[in-house]
Amino acid sequence: QVQLVESGGGSVQTGGSLRLSCTASGTTFSRYYLAWFRQVMPGKEREGVALIESGGSTEYADSVKGRFTISRDNAKNTLYLQMNDLRPEDTAMYFCAADTRYYLPSLRVNEFNYWGQGTQVTVSS
């Protein structure tokens, strides 16, 4: 069982930057593939933002390529999402997620069993 706790959300203006963090406990962090998802409002579908595999390979949603960077520090059991050039359409609750089940994971909600509680990001124009 892994517990995930996000931090780093907040309110910024268009063009600003934020760095989200997700700290894990209760597991061997390096074994997991990890991702960030976002949800515009409760009840809406969660959108995959970025993924990083245990070996370090990454994948991004087209909407964030070139602006967001996902990274991990296995020694600190922490996942990061550096978000630059933020836009109002990036406003959402951001969740980190983890799992080990799939050999070639992708940004699909059903490929992740472990989720954090979320951190809110608001971008104003």
Side-chain angles (χ1 to χ4, degrees), residues 22-76:
C22 172
T23 301
S25 60
T27 188
T28 305
F29 185 75
S30 60
R31 295 175 51 238
Y32 286 74
Y33 56 84
L34 308 162
W36 289 96
F37 288 78
R38 63 188 181 186
Q39 187 176 32
V40 175
M41 64 179 63
K44 292 289 187 180
E45 184 177 352
R46 291 185 184 183
E47 173 195 18
V49 174
L51 165 76
I52 186 165
E53 297 184 21
S54 58
S57 298
T58 58
E59 177 185 340
Y60 294 91
D62 288 342
S63 59
V64 307
K65 281 181 182 175
R67 301 189 297 124
F68 290 11
T69 302
I70 189 171
S71 61
R72 64 192 295 165
D73 186 336
N74 290 336
K76 295 182 178 180

Side-chain angles (χ1 to χ4, degrees), residues 1-2 4 33 97-101 109-115:
Q1 189 79 12
V2 57
L4 303 171
Y33 56 84
D99 212 311
T100 60
R101 293 174 294 154
V109 171
N110 63 0
E111 293 188 16
F112 294 84
N113 262 341
Y114 304 103
W115 295 83

Side-chain angles (χ1 to χ4, degrees), residues 6 20-22 35-37 48-50 70 79-81 95-96 107:
E6 302 95 337
L20 305 183
S21 299
C22 172
W36 289 96
F37 288 78
V49 174
I70 189 171
L79 171 71
Y80 301 100
L81 184 68
F95 299 87
C96 64
L107 283 167

